[in-house]
Amino acid sequence: RVTVTRQDGRVELEVAGASFSSWHPRLLMTGLAWDAITAASLLRPAGPPKTVLMLGLGGGTVARQLKVISPDTRITAVELDADVLAMARQHMELDGLGVETIVGDAYEFVLRERRRFDVLIDDLYVTGRDDVWRPKPPDRDLLEHYGRRLTCGGLVVINVVTGPGHRRVQSLIRRAMASTFPDVRSVRPSEGFNEVLVGGAAVRPSRALIDYGSRLRESEDRCQWQRMRVRRLGRSEANPEV
């Protein structure tokens, strides 16, 4: 069930009670996982990505952030739920982002797709009765396939829910990322229960994000941007933090 809630000018797109996207007519940042996904996508050594493949679009929160911070980035997005896209077009101005949108199964799409992208984002969660869960936690085989869809120096970005009930999957994804990519970093938003893992041949450190903050017009957005934390994930860190 897809619903829309409004509070203090912000629109939340919810699926079975879980927030899949957030939109505000003035503010861009949310303090939550979407901010960290956007930040992680900008840690490519060669600079802002020219092309991004998003597996899981929702209402386009990350796409909107990327388009403001890096206007020339071309985004291709795969979303399984046509109802989510319809609601995002109606309530979140999705069509104004210029995103190439494919309705379908993201795993099937990435297996048949032959284009290469500077950044591949995996934000694939579905909702159960009481919580969200991953239909297919990225293992090394899947991550290696993701890597084949990257340009030279490209990055794979994985959103990971943390906390009770998610630690085993978090550990599996951390271990798979550390065994697949030479450099892996963890990006944490200022709020929420997520970490975003970004891996590649090389990933830039947190200081690479500083200049991007000046591209945000609102002081509230710049404050949220400055509060994000980036650190290198050691190969021994297979288990989530308590």
Side-chain angles (χ1 to χ4, degrees), residues 9-12 21-36 38-39 42 59-71 92-93 97 212-225 228:
R10 184 171 291 279
V11 178
E12 300 283 344
S21 283
S22 181
W23 177 81
H24 191 282
R26 180 175 60 86
L27 299 175
L28 193 65
M29 296 290 112
T30 66
L32 300 172
W34 302 294
D35 303 1
T38 297
L42 298 169
T61 304
V62 172
R64 182 171 290 102
Q65 293 175 347
L66 280 172
K67 278 295 189 178
V68 169
I69 296 173
S70 180
M92 294 181 160
E93 301 184 1
L97 299 180
Y212 292 117
S214 64
R215 304 184 186 187
L216 302 171
R217 290 190 297 179
E218 301 293 334
S219 59
E220 296 99 319
D221 286 338
R222 293 194 295 272
C223 181
Q224 292 285 11
W225 190 257
M228 278 188 291

Side-chain angles (χ1 to χ4, degrees), residues 25 103 229:
V103 179
R229 297 161 288 162

